[in-house]
C-alpha cells in the first residue's frame, strides 16, 4: 500500500473489521483515502450471517467494535455497507445496526443477488419496498442511508 500511495494513487481499503491494529497502522501512516467496512448484521445476528460459531464471534466482537470506532473517528472518508439477505436480516437487526453505527457518514444497503458463485445457495433478496422500510428505520441513526445496486 505504501508503494502504491507513493506512486500518487488514492487508496481505498475494503475491510470486514477484524483487524483494527492493521487499520490503525494504515491510518497512522496516512496511507488510506477511503475505507469501506462490511457490517454483516447486528451484533446479535452477526455469527449466523458470517457463518461462524457464537464463540468465534465473541472473540471477534471487540475487534469489530474497535474498527467501527476507528473508522468513524479517523477523519478519512468512509462507508459502511450490508448485503441484505431475506433469510438473515430483519427490521430489528437494522434498528440495532443503526444504534451500533450511530452517526455514520454513509451506510449502504446492497440487495443480495443469487449467482452460481455464492458459497451457500438458497438465499433470497428482500423486496425493494422492504429495503426502503429498512432505510426508514435507519434514518433516525444515520442521515445518509441509501440502496445500492437496486433498479
Amino acid at each position: 500500500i505504501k508503494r502504491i500511495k507513493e506512486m500518487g494513487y488514492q487508496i481505498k481499503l475494503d475491510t470486514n473489521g477484524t483487524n483494527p491494529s492493521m487499520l490503525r497502522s494504515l491510518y497512522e501512516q496516512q496511507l488510506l483515502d477511503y475505507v469501506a467496512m462490511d457490517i454483516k448484521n447486528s451484533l446479535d445476528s452477526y455469527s449466523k450471517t458470517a457463518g461462524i460459531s457464537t464463540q468465534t464471534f465473541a472473540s471477534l466482537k471487540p475487534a469489530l467494535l474497535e474498527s467501527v470506532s476507528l473508522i468513524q473517528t479517523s477523519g478519512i472518508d468512509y462507508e459502511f455497507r450490508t448485503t441484505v439477505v431475506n433469510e438473515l436480516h430483519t427490521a430489528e437487526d437494522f434498528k440495532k445496526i443503526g444504534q451500533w453505527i450511530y452517526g455514520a457518514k454513509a451506510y449502504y444497503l446492497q440487495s443480495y443477488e443469487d449467482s452460481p458463485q455464492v458459497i451457500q445457495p438458497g438465499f433470497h433478496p428482500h423486496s425493494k419496498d422492504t429495503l426502503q422500510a429498512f432505510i426508514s428505520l435507519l434514518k433516525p441513526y444515520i442521515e445518509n442511508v441509501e440502496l445500492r445496486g437496486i433498479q
Side-chain angles (χ1 to χ4, degrees):
I1 290 175
K2 188 173 184 178
R3 286 181 53 212
I4 293 168
K5 187 73 172 171
E6 288 170 352
M7 295 168 68
Y9 291 102
Q10 298 271 308
I11 304 294
K12 176 189 176 214
L13 178 71
D14 290 273
T15 181
N16 64 8
T18 58
N19 192 345
S21 60
M22 176 64 72
L23 192 58
R24 180 179 288 104
S25 174
L26 294 170
Y27 281 146
E28 289 171 354
Q29 296 176 69
Q30 299 180 344
L31 295 176
L32 301 176
D33 298 292
Y34 194 89
V35 175
M37 181 175 161
D38 287 326
I39 301 291
K40 303 294 185 199
N41 208 328
S42 67
L43 294 171
D44 292 340
S45 300
Y46 218 93
S47 61
K48 171 182 68 172
T49 304
I52 58 177
S53 70
T54 53
Q55 292 82 8
T56 299
F57 176 69
S59 68
L60 292 176
K61 183 178 176 180
L64 296 173
L65 295 171
E66 185 178 350
S67 290
V68 166
S69 179
L70 279 168
I71 290 167
Q72 287 184 296
T73 60
S74 70
I76 294 172
D77 203 13
Y78 69 89
E79 69 182 58
F80 296 113
R81 62 184 178 219
T82 298
T83 299
V84 186
V85 180
N86 187 31
E87 291 81 3
L88 300 175
H89 297 96
T90 67
E92 185 63 23
D93 288 319
F94 284 103
K95 183 177 177 184
K96 290 177 180 179
I97 291 169
Q99 293 166 346
W100 174 21
I101 63 171
Y102 180 84
K105 284 184 183 179
Y107 182 41
Y108 295 96
L109 302 185
Q110 304 169 157
S111 184
Y112 172 80
E113 289 186 28
D114 196 17
S115 76
Q117 292 80 29
V118 297
I119 295 170
Q120 183 176 340
F123 290 121
H124 302 90
H126 277 286
S127 70
K128 186 174 181 180
D129 287 342
T130 300
L131 294 171
Q132 292 288 358
F134 292 158
I135 286 177
S136 295
L137 287 172
L138 289 159
K139 285 289 187 177
Y141 308 102
I142 305 157
E143 187 175 327
N144 182 21
V145 183
E146 298 178 25
L147 293 180
R148 184 179 273 162
I150 306 292
Q151 307 306 348

